[in-house]
Every structure is written in C-alpha cells, then in structure tokens.
Amino acid sequence: MANAVEIDAVSKTFKLYHERGTSLKERLVKAGRSRYDELKALQSISFDVAEGETIGILGRNGSGKSTLLKCICGVLQPSEGEIRVRGKLAGLLELGAGFQPELSGRDNIYLNGSMLGLTRKEIDDVFDDIVGFAELESFIDNQVKFYSSGMYVRLGFAVAVNVDPDILVIDEVLAVGDEKFQRKCIARIKQFQEMGRTIIFVSHSADQVRSICDRAVVLQTGEMIGMGTPGDAVRLFRERLLEADGAPPAEEAAPEVEPGQQGDRFLLRIREVFTSVSEGESPVLESGDPFSVTAVFRVKEEIDSMVFVIEVHGAKGELLLRTDTNELGMATDAPLGEGRVTFEFPSWPLSDGRYDISVGAQSRLGETTYDWRENVVSVEVVYHGKASGLLNLPLSASLTAGGPIVRKKL
Ligand SMILES: Nc1ncnc2c1ncn2[C@@H]1O[C@H](COP(=O)(O)OP(=O)(O)OP(=O)(O)O)[C@@H](O)[C@H]1O
Ligand SMILES: [Mg+2]
C-alpha cells in the first residue's frame, strides 16, 4: 500500500532569544556570546503512515507532538529532514490556530476552506453541514473571538471533516469539547476510517488511542522512543511516565528486592499480580463463573489517600471497566509493609474472548501514579451458551398465551 505521509529524519530546532541588553555597555559585554539558546523540539523523527492508516501520537507535555503535527501540516518548516504528503490534508491544530479572531464564524469557514483549496462554490455546498455539525447556527455571524474554547474546537473540527480531506490531522483538541460532541467526533473519525482515509491523531487518552488507532508513536523530549501497536505504545508511554516520576520501568520491578532490603526507594511497588484462573488448574475461565485479581504490593512509607485501580480491556483495547478501591468503598490509606489487594467478581458476565487487566496504585484523585502495571494479566473466557455479543447477562424469558387481549376501540 502506498504511503500517505512519509516523515524522514525530521528535526526542528527553535531559537530562544535572550532578552536584549538595553544599554550600550550591556550589549558590548554580551557581544560575541550567543544571543540565543537552541531548543531541539524534534530530533530526527522518521516514520511512514500508510494510506488508510490511523496513527496515534503519545507523549508528555512539551514532547514535540504539536510541533510534529505543524510540520506535517506545513505550518512549520522542519530544520532538517523532509516530509512528503500525498493527498489533500486538513489539520485541526492547537486551539484557535487557523482562525482570525476579528472575523465571524461564517467568514472563518470561507477563509479556512479556501486555505484548504476549496472554491467558493465548494464551500457554499458544505457550509450548512459545517455549521450544523458544529451546532453553531445561532453564533455563526459572531466574531470568533467571542467563542468559548468548546465552540472553537467544534468549528475547527467541523471544517476539517467537511472539506473531504484524504488525510486528517488532529491535535489534542477533542478533549476540549463536551462529551456529546466528543462522541460525535469519534463517530465521524470512525466513518473516515471506513472510507479508507488516513488519520494522524494526538491524544493524552490511552483509551482513545487504543480504540481508534492502528499504530501509535511515542515521543519523549523530541525523540521518538517507540512505535508499535496501540497496546505496546500505551505501555511504553505509561512506563516512561513512571520513570519520570522516579520509579523504574516495570520489567525491573521490585520482585528482586526483598522486603526491607536497601535500595527499594519507592513509596509503593506492585510486586506481583495474579488471577484466580492463573492460580487454578485451568488457564481458561468459564463465562459467568467467579473471578478474582490479586495484586501483591509493598508500601515503604505512609501515603495518605491512595487507591488501587483495576482496568479491564477487551481484545480491541476498548475499556470495559475501570474502578478503584475508594469507589468500592474501601479506606484510602495505604497499609505499611507487604500486603495484597483482591478484586473479586462474583460472576464474570463476559462472552468468549481474551480480556486484559491492568492494576495500578494512584493518589485518590489520580494526580500521582505510584505504580502501574499495564495489561499485566489476561484471562481467556469460554462461553458455551448460544447468545451472541459481548455480554453474558443472566436472562430468562417468559411467554404467556391465552391472556386477555385488550384492543382499543377506534
Ligand atoms: N514557536 C516556538 N518557539 C519556541 N519553542 C517552541 C515553539 N513551539 C514549541 N516550542 C517548544 O518545543 C517543545 C515542544 O512543544 P510542543 O508544543 O510540540 O509539545 P507538545 O508535545 O505538543 O506538548 P503539549 O502536550 O503540552 O501540547 C516545548 O519545549 C515547547 O516549549
Ligand atoms: Mg501540543
């Protein structure tokens, strides 16, 4: 299959200028010294995006995601390397990029459309669809500087998807819209995928990346540290987040460090995770049977207000369940020393398939992750019933014959 986008050894360096010396003396003193620092926002990034593929880009704040998208859209020129794009590209960059604040929504639609290569007539034809999709009928003649951030995003997304691009580039803007609009955007993105279009998509949401993307790239301080399946990319991204917070990657996890041993510098480590199935005789679970997941952990120092989190993902990476010990009514202080937490499902009401389970320890509000084990265990489920679909809900049917049939007289 042909490539829609080829990114070949792309680097982008920004020059950060120092404040200029104001007096002659200052300028003389500074003469000969560099007037700027260089910031390497992207360092030799290379990857190809095949036609019809959806690529996710994951990375912390400042890792270069938006810079990369701007280079792909041609808003910025790479300092080195080359980007080749085949087809018409529409981008939804950072909030408000591409809009003229003094102009109305209507004029901005025409301006944006013409920048994307549409004639006035072509824009006339899609104008109502854009306004309708953005739900901005009553505001379309207002200057966009009076729009809320959600309204900006709605307009930007509506323009990008209605100009019929071959390649859609979306920066992390979906997070701004409300939930209903987000769902509408995701539905539109999926429709795009079915039409065989190419999408490049920045998101902080691991679940969005998993459910939408075919592959994902992980950026860290301007370098591409990995590219792979969404599951692998999310795992790498989360591990690196933990490292940055002072914990080692999961592979070096604590099992080697015995309780009380020197060198265990972490507040809390999840040492092992197992399930009732992995402990039992058969490696598969019968749908509807009880199931449990246990994490063995060690808490080194007192932590106020922490929770253990469990997530269950389906085979396509879709999130089926996420909850934590606080939501399940348990106390939120971590017991010091060695302990274990067990999540018990009295019945596992899911149909055939493989389910991946992640376990983590976080502060109650989720700002700090003490430890996280992505897809640490999985369970294979067999279902012997006849119903199809994902769920195996307890269900019965009844049918009554011969009862009174009430007909309403006309
Ligand atoms: N125009 C610019 N001039 C100077 N530095 C810039 C410019 N644009 C971005 N940078 C810097 O480049 C680095 C990468 O920024 P970028 O916006 O690409 O990150 P990001 O991954 O999109 O982050 P976020 O998740 O916060 O959106 C940052 O250190 C940023 O400060
Ligand atoms: Mg950004």
Side-chain angles (χ1 to χ4, degrees):
M1 199 185 283
N3 287 329
V5 180
E6 293 173 356
I7 298 164
D8 191 2
V10 165
S11 298
K12 178 72 191 176
T13 306
F14 290 112
K15 291 187 173 131
L16 304 175
Y17 287 87
H18 302 153
E19 243 176 90
R20 277 224 205 106
T22 41
S23 69
L24 178 64
K25 188 177 154 207
E26 263 180 281
R27 267 180 274 163
L28 283 175
V29 170
K30 284 189 178 164
R33 269 197 275 150
S34 158
R35 284 166 43 238
Y36 55 82
D37 288 324
E38 291 198 332
L39 185 127
K40 292 197 162 99
L42 293 175
Q43 301 188 48
S44 198
I45 307 288
S46 301
F47 63 90
D48 295 337
V49 184
E51 256 171 35
E53 199 177 22
T54 300
I55 294 284
I57 301 181
L58 283 164
R60 308 189 70 171
N61 296 134
S63 57
K65 304 179 297 292
S66 299
T67 305
L68 180 60
L69 291 199
K70 284 180 194 156
C71 289
I72 295 172
C73 293
V75 175
L76 284 177
Q77 282 301 313
S79 317
E80 282 165 51
E82 205 188 331
I83 295 182
R84 290 175 290 273
V85 173
R86 202 166 289 126
K88 185 163 94 182
L89 181 147
L92 183 56
L93 295 175
E94 282 165 326
L95 202 57
F99 286 125
Q100 295 295 325
E102 298 295 331
L103 295 182
S104 65
R106 180 185 301 276
D107 292 341
N108 268 294
I109 292 177
Y110 280 92
L111 182 70
N112 263 268
S114 70
M115 278 171 14
L116 290 162
L118 271 69
T119 62
R120 189 160 183 101
K121 168 80 182 59
E122 285 169 323
I123 304 170
D124 286 340
D125 292 344
V126 291
F127 185 84
D128 289 343
D129 290 342
I130 294 177
V131 178
F133 190 93
E135 299 169 24
L136 285 172
E137 288 86 350
S138 346
F139 302 95
I140 202 63
D141 289 309
N142 294 4
Q143 289 177 306
V144 303
K145 66 178 177 193
F146 298 121
Y147 282 15
S148 68
S149 53
M151 288 157 83
Y152 258 105
V153 168
R154 271 155 39 197
L155 186 61
F157 191 86
V159 172
V161 296
N162 280 292
V163 297
D164 199 29
D166 303 302
I167 306 162
L168 184 61
V169 172
I170 312 170
D171 204 340
E172 198 182 16
V173 282
L174 294 187
V176 180
D178 60 39
E179 208 170 302
K180 178 167 151 271
F181 191 74
Q182 273 185 36
R183 277 202 298 275
K184 199 157 120 181
C185 292
I186 300 288
R188 199 49 174 273
I189 288 172
K190 292 199 166 150
Q191 207 180 337
F192 247 75
Q193 290 177 317
E194 278 160 25
M195 291 158 71
R197 306 294 167 85
T198 309
I199 302 170
I200 303 176
F201 177 74
V202 166
S203 175
H204 265 128
S205 154
D207 286 312
Q208 268 180 7
V209 168
R210 272 196 241 254
S211 66
I212 293 174
C213 300
D214 300 308
R215 289 191 296 159
V217 166
V218 187
L219 294 183
Q220 181 173 299
T221 52
E223 285 181 74
M224 182 168 121
I225 56 166
M227 175 166 203
T229 62
D232 287 345
V234 166
R235 179 197 293 247
L236 180 65
F237 172 58
R238 283 195 166 155
E239 279 168 11
R240 290 304 171 99
L241 273 185
L242 279 176
E243 274 175 69
D245 288 344
E251 294 91 79
E252 298 169 23
E256 310 88 64
V257 184
E258 287 310 311
Q261 193 175 321
Q262 291 291 309
D264 189 0
R265 62 197 169 90
F266 311 106
L267 294 182
L268 187 158
R269 298 301 287 162
I270 293 174
R271 302 161 65 90
E272 194 192 347
V273 179
F274 55 86
T275 69
S276 49
V277 172
S278 49
E279 271 209 317
E281 284 160 15
S282 154
V284 292
L285 177 69
E286 187 86 32
S287 177
D289 275 2
F291 176 63
S292 67
V293 177
T294 300
V296 180
F297 60 84
R298 183 172 140 67
V299 179
K300 203 183 148 206
E301 274 170 42
E302 221 149 290
I303 307 173
D304 311 327
S305 196
M306 61 75 59
V307 295
F308 290 98
V309 182
I310 184 168
E311 285 184 4
V312 179
H313 286 98
K316 294 195 197 86
E318 67 278 30
L319 179 67
L320 301 177
L321 170 100
R322 179 195 162 94
T323 189
D324 64 48
T325 45
N326 180 43
E327 282 167 3
L328 294 169
M330 288 168 65
T332 57
D333 28 271
L336 271 183
E338 187 96 11
R340 47 176 66 195
V341 55
T342 299
F343 294 96
E344 258 175 280
F345 299 87
S347 147
W348 185 262
L350 290 166
S351 200
D352 310 79
R354 205 191 78 163
Y355 300 93
D356 292 320
I357 293 153
S358 308
V359 177
Q362 295 184 324
S363 55
R364 193 173 62 81
L365 299 175
E367 331 82 286
T368 310
T369 299
Y370 300 111
D371 201 355
W372 188 271
R373 296 303 154 95
E374 180 78 6
N375 296 347
V376 60
V377 285
S378 56
V379 60
E380 199 73 46
V381 176
V382 289
Y383 172 59
H384 291 294
K386 288 265 163 57
S388 53
L390 186 66
L391 289 176
N392 167 21
L393 293 180
L395 176 71
S396 63
S398 63
L399 179 76
T400 317
I405 297 172
V406 182
R407 288 221 174 83
K408 205 173 164 191
K409 276 195 189 134
L410 286 173

